[in-house]
Amino acid sequence: MAAIAIDGPAGAGKSTIAKRTAKALGFIYVDTGAMYRAMALFMLREGVDIRDTDAVADAAKRAEITIRHEGGEQVVILNGENVSGSIRTEEVSQAASTVSVVGQVRERLVALQQELARTADVVMDGRDIGTVVLPDAKLKIFMTASSAVRAHRRFLELKERGEEADEEQIRRDIEERDERDRNREISPLRQADDAVYLDTSALTIDEVTERILALWK
Ligand code: DC
């Protein structure tokens, strides 16, 4: 099956672009971050100390995570419950980054991601898609933007939803998460040797999508 892998730090625009690209090509969009977020939500709800890697590895066995597509949108299911609406908080973002360092968590989710790519054409985004999950993907993109731009985009997104936001705090949170995602031992965020580097700081969503569609052709 055909696959496009998109990796990069938080807030670079991966999911927006991946969704559009998938739609344009008739592929399925797979948001792997949502799976780590569902795993983190499970740990928070169960009261697991997320800094205790043994406890996280053990609890992960009790979390059944799957995804479904409804009307073109990915829905994440945690032990039978649709948790898509509960995984986008700042608390879950940081917890996802923390539990994703644990090998047992990654093994389970990577297997699920690889299975999805075996059965459908996918645009998959995350941190280790081009390096670990789909090393044979035909097109790999490493998408980034300055942390100031990424924080500003997030700030606008929250404002639009009517939520309170402190741009400086958002920037610090993003930088903290990137630091952890880049420096973890297993499958850290890094550009695959054969990935195309794309800095979206000064580009519009349409420009980035066009660029990727042209590369795919
Ligand atoms: O893409 P996101 O912000 O939804 O991802 C949340 C966290 O999950 C991210 O900080 C690190 C982790 N993650 C990962 O380790 N590997 C992936 N392929 C996707 C996400």
Side-chain angles (χ1 to χ4, degrees):
M1 304 298 303
I4 298 178
I6 304 182
D7 290 301
K14 299 187 300 294
S15 66
T16 306
I17 303 296
K19 253 183 232 168
R20 292 211 179 191
T21 306
K23 197 166 177 207
L25 295 171
F27 288 14
I28 283 175
Y29 165 54
V30 181
D31 170 3
T32 64
M35 301 175 190
Y36 290 93
R37 287 170 180 270
M39 190 60 95
L41 181 67
F42 177 76
M43 302 293 163
L44 294 172
R45 283 178 172 177
E46 293 279 301
V48 175
D49 174 2
I50 57 171
R51 277 174 183 74
D52 180 344
T53 53
D54 289 338
V56 169
D58 191 51
K61 294 180 205 146
R62 290 182 276 122
E64 195 58 54
I65 292 164
T66 54
I67 67 161
R68 260 202 327 254
H69 284 85
E70 286 177 5
E73 288 285 313
Q74 173 180 299
V75 168
V76 198
I77 314 292
L78 167 63
N79 293 334
E81 177 193 348
N82 177 354
V83 293
S84 304
S86 315
I87 57 173
R88 299 289 158 197
T89 65
E90 183 52 33
E91 185 190 22
V92 173
S93 301
Q94 293 294 348
S97 174
T98 302
V99 305
S100 70
V101 307
V102 179
Q104 287 91 333
V105 166
R106 304 204 69 82
E107 271 164 36
R108 300 199 48 188
L109 298 182
V110 167
L112 169 62
Q113 292 151 16
Q114 290 175 333
E115 181 56 31
L116 288 164
R118 254 195 297 279
T119 52
D121 295 326
V122 294
V123 179
M124 192 177 282
D125 77 357
R127 303 292 186 289
D128 59 340
I129 311 306
T131 52
V132 175
V133 180
L134 304 175
D136 298 327
K138 284 263 167 10
L139 177 61
K140 299 178 185 178
I141 306 289
F142 191 81
M143 193 179 289
T144 187
S146 70
S147 65
V149 166
R150 293 186 286 126
H152 189 62
R153 286 176 184 162
R154 178 78 185 138
F155 171 74
L156 293 178
E157 207 178 284
L158 289 171
K159 229 173 73 176
E160 196 166 314
R161 293 210 307 242
E163 289 176 36
E164 284 233 359
D166 169 351
E167 195 164 337
E168 218 6 77
Q169 182 62 44
I170 294 173
R171 181 177 172 155
R172 279 196 296 273
D173 289 344
I174 281 185
E175 286 173 353
E176 184 190 326
R177 195 141 71 90
D178 287 348
E179 172 85 6
R180 201 184 299 118
D181 296 345
R182 284 181 196 280
N183 294 305
R184 67 175 176 230
E185 218 162 290
I186 310 170
S187 311
L189 168 65
R190 80 174 174 80
Q191 182 177 348
D193 295 333
D194 52 351
V196 177
Y197 180 86
L198 209 61
D199 186 328
T200 68
S201 302
L203 298 174
T204 66
I205 291 168
D206 283 340
E207 285 169 337
V208 181
T209 311
E210 285 308 314
R211 197 53 217 289
I212 294 177
L213 291 174
L215 285 164
W216 178 251
K217 277 197 196 109

